[in-house]
Amino acid sequence: MELLAAAFNAACAVDHDSSTSESDARDSAAGHLPGSESSSTPGNGATPEEFPALADSPTTLTEALQMIHPIPADSWRNLIEQIGLLYQEYRDKSTLQEIETRRQQDAEIQGAADGCPSSEEAPEEDEGEEEEEPASPPERKALPQICLLSNPHSRFNLWQDLPEIQSSGVLDILQPEEIRLQEAMFELITSEASYYKSLNLLVSHFMENERLKKILHPSEAHILFSNVLDVMAVSERFLLELERRMEENIVISDVCDIVYRYAADHFSVYITYVSNQTYQERTYKQLLQEKAAFRELIAQLELDPKCRGLPLSSFLILPFQRITRLKLLVQNILKRVEERSEREGTALDAHKELELVVKACNEGVRKMSRTEQMISIQKKMEFKIKSVPIISHSRWLLKQGELQQMSGPKTSRTLRTKKLFREIYLFLFNDLLVICRQIPGDKYQVFDSAPRGLLRAEELEDQGQTLANVFILRLLENSDDREATYMLKASSQSEMKRWMTSLAPNRRTKFVSFTSRLLDCPQVQCVHPYVAQQPDELTLELADILNILDKTEDGWIFGERLHDQERGWFPSNMTEEILNPKIRSQNLKECFRVHKMDDPQRSQNKDRRKLGSRNRQ
C-alpha cells in the first residue's frame, strides 16, 4: 500500500506542476520534489563525497543513465508485491487528487484576480496577506470537501522517495522536469501492477470458485467472465516487460515504446471483452434476480476482506476502465516529454494506438446495444404514411421523447384556445427524424418523417408563459416531398436546447468549441461521476475536463471532453467551473499537443528511431 501511494502522489504533483506557470512550477518542485533543490535539502540524495562521479554532474538523461546502476530484480519485485490497493481504490484516489489539485490552483488564482499580487510579483512580506484574501471566494464556499489519500508516515511517496533513488544521487543529477516525467512513468507501471492484482482476484476469488461453477451454466459463465483470462495474460506479460525496463536502470528510459507495441499487437483482447459488456450486464442482472443461490454466494464472496467491500460488478468492468485510463496516463507522460524529441514520438505513437483500441471498444459496446434498440423501436411503430425501414447497420438513435405541437391556425393561437397544444413523439436517428403520436399498447403511429440533413431549428422569441420554451422545426422535405413547419413546445429550457442541438447539430452554440483552437474557453471539471440517461447525454468520469459549449438556466451543460472530443449534455451540479484562465489555457495547449497531426519533423524523428533500432540489432 505504501508503494502505490507513490503513484497517487505522483499524479497529484505532476498534474499540479504542469498547469502552473514556469516560476510556479519551480516553486512547486521545491515543495513536492525532494532533490530538485538538493543543495538546500541535505539527505535527499547522495553527496559528491559519497559518489565522486557526481562532482561533475551531467545534465542530459543519457549521461545520467550511464552513471546509475540498475535496480536489483528482487528489490523491484518486492516493491511491486507491496502494493496493497486494488485498482478500483487506486483509480478513485488518484482522480480525486487531480480534482483537489485543480481546486487549490483555482483558489490561488482567484485570490490574485480579486486584487492580490501574484507570487511572482509580490514581495516576501506580502505573502501572508496574499494567503488570507482568497480564503473564501463565493464560488467555492459550498463545494464538498474530498478526503485524499494521505500517509505522511509512508516509506514510499513517489518514485523519488524509493530508497534506491535516494541513495543513488540521481536526484542531484536530473532536472525537475525529468523528475516529473519519471513520476508519470512510475505511475503507469505501478498502476498496471495494481490492475493485475485486481484481475487476479476476479479470476481466483470469483471465476474459479467451485461452488459458483456448479451454479452457473457454462454459457452463463462464458458471458459473465468472457475472455478475462486472455486479458489477464496480456496484462501479466505487459507488466513483466515494464518491470524489466525498470530493472534496467532506476532512471526509467521510456515506457511508451512498450505501450505502443502492446496496444498494436496484443490489446485486441480488450475489444473482445468490452464488446461483450451489454450481454454481460444483462446476464449479471438476470442471475441476481432469478437465481437465489447465485445471489447468496456472490454476496458471501463480496464480504471477504480481499474484496475491500467492492462488488463483483466493479471487478467485471475493470478492463474497460483500465484501457481508457492507460490512454490518459500516456497523455500525462506526453505532456512532460521534451517537444520534438524521440520520447515524444514514441508517446504520440502509443497514444494513437490506444485511441484506436478505445474507439474500437466503444464501437463494440454501441453496436451491440444499438442493434437491439433498433429492433425494439421498429416493433413499436405503425406507419400512417409510406413505411420507412428503421433497422440499418449505419443507423442509431440520438434522442427520443415527447413534445407538444401547437395546433390550429395562426390566428387562433390565443390563451382562450382550449386545445392549444397536442402531444407528439419524436424519434431522432443519426440520419432520420420520425414524428409520431403515441397510441394504446405502447405503440407509435408515424405520420411524418424527414432526413436529418434537411432539418432546421430556430428558437422562438419569448412571447409569455404560454409560448415559453417553444421552437420552430422546419422539414425542408418531408415524407410527402414538401416543406413542413412544426411549432413545438418543450417541458423546460434545457429540454428545448437539447432538442435543438440534436436536430440541428451545426447551429452556433453559445460558447466556442475547443476545436476552434482558441486559447481560452469556459471549462469545468467533473467532481461527481455521471452515467448518461439519454443518448444525447455524456457519461462523466471523475476529473474529466470539459469545454462548455452551451448551458441552460435550469442546470444543464452541453460540453466537449478534452481528452477524446466527445460531446453531450450533463447536469451542471456534477461539475465545478475552472476559474483560472491560465489553467484553462494550459489544458487546451496540452490537448492540442496530444492530438496534433504528424508533422515533417515528427516523421524525421520516427525514421531516426527505426534506423536506430536497426543499428542496435
Side-chain angles (χ1 to χ4, degrees), residues 249-263:
N249 204 299
I250 56 176
V251 179
I252 309 168
S253 58
D254 198 2
V255 294
C256 289
D257 57 328
I258 300 175
V259 175
Y260 167 74
R261 184 156 32 86
Y262 270 78

Side-chain angles (χ1 to χ4, degrees), residues 415 462-469 489:
L415 293 175
D462 190 4
Q463 299 182 16
Q465 186 63 34
T466 304
L467 297 181
N469 307 321
K489 180 180 176 68

Side-chain angles (χ1 to χ4, degrees), residues 444-506:
Y444 299 91
Q445 188 179 65
V446 180
F447 64 89
D448 208 351
S449 65
R452 187 179 178 222
L454 298 179
L455 303 177
R456 300 294 183 267
E458 60 183 84
E459 189 173 349
L460 190 68
E461 293 184 7
D462 190 4
Q463 299 182 16
Q465 186 63 34
T466 304
L467 297 181
N469 307 321
V470 172
F471 67 97
I472 296 174
L473 174 63
R474 302 187 191 280
L475 282 56
L476 301 184
E477 186 177 303
N478 70 353
S479 57
D480 295 328
D481 298 326
R482 296 183 304 178
E483 182 173 335
T485 300
Y486 292 89
M487 189 172 289
L488 304 174
K489 180 180 176 68
S491 58
S492 64
Q493 185 198 40
S494 59
E495 189 65 12
M496 178 190 70
K497 285 200 171 188
R498 288 172 64 170
W499 270 111
M500 293 180 68
T501 301
S502 299
L503 289 164
N506 295 323

Side-chain angles (χ1 to χ4, degrees), residues 179 204 225 243 302 313 315 446 491 502 515 517 530 580:
I179 294 176
S204 62
F225 297 105
E243 287 180 4
E302 290 174 345
S313 57
F315 289 89
V446 180
S491 58
S502 299
T515 52
R517 294 186 176 270
Y530 178 72
N580 181 348

Side-chain angles (χ1 to χ4, degrees), residues 179-323:
I179 294 176
R180 288 192 286 272
L181 175 59
Q182 291 294 313
E183 301 290 7
M185 293 190 288
F186 182 72
E187 180 183 8
L188 188 146
I189 297 172
T190 53
S191 64
E192 185 67 27
S194 177
Y195 167 65
Y196 177 74
K197 175 188 176 82
S198 295
L199 279 182
N200 189 51
L201 185 58
L202 170 63
V203 171
S204 62
H205 188 62
F206 291 99
M207 180 179 172
E208 294 181 349
N209 182 275
E210 293 299 328
R211 290 174 58 193
L212 189 60
K213 287 181 180 179
K214 295 177 181 179
I215 293 173
L216 294 178
H217 187 274
S219 62
E220 294 172 333
H222 176 70
I223 294 174
L224 194 61
F225 297 105
S226 189
N227 64 326
V228 69
L229 291 176
D230 297 333
V231 173
M232 189 171 73
V234 167
S235 175
E236 182 177 16
R237 295 197 303 270
F238 181 47
L239 179 59
L240 285 173
E241 287 215 36
L242 293 172
E243 287 180 4
R244 291 191 196 104
R245 179 63 54 85
M246 185 78 175
E247 291 165 5
E248 289 174 4
N249 204 299
I250 56 176
V251 179
I252 309 168
S253 58
D254 198 2
V255 294
C256 289
D257 57 328
I258 300 175
V259 175
Y260 167 74
R261 184 156 32 86
Y262 270 78
D265 300 335
H266 303 291
F267 283 175
S268 58
V269 295
Y270 282 94
I271 302 173
T272 303
Y273 185 93
V274 175
S275 297
N276 181 56
Q277 185 177 334
T278 301
Y279 299 121
Q280 182 188 66
E281 291 177 352
R282 181 188 305 151
T283 300
Y284 181 58
K285 289 178 181 177
Q286 288 178 346
L287 288 170
L288 288 175
Q289 293 173 359
E290 300 172 5
K291 287 193 175 184
F294 174 83
R295 183 171 61 250
E296 292 169 3
L297 177 58
I298 293 300
Q300 181 182 340
L301 293 174
E302 290 174 345
L303 290 175
D304 192 294
K306 296 177 185 176
C307 296
R308 309 290 182 83
L310 296 167
L312 171 59
S313 57
S314 73
F315 289 89
L316 293 174
I317 202 174
L318 280 172
F320 183 60
Q321 290 179 334
R322 179 56 182 172
I323 197 65

Side-chain angles (χ1 to χ4, degrees), residues 356-398:
L356 294 175
V357 175
V358 172
K359 183 178 179 180
C361 288
N362 288 329
E363 287 302 316
V365 173
R366 290 168 181 165
K367 184 178 179 180
M368 295 291 185
S369 59
R370 284 171 177 172
T371 300
E372 294 188 347
Q373 187 178 47
M374 298 301 287
I375 293 173
S376 175
I377 293 174
Q378 174 80 69
K379 291 178 179 178
K380 295 180 179 180
M381 286 188 175
E382 296 180 0
F383 285 84
K384 188 177 179 180
I385 57 173
K386 182 180 178 181
S387 178
V388 178
I390 298 297
I391 300 174
S392 169
H393 291 295
S394 59
R395 179 174 294 155
W396 60 88
L397 183 70
L398 294 180

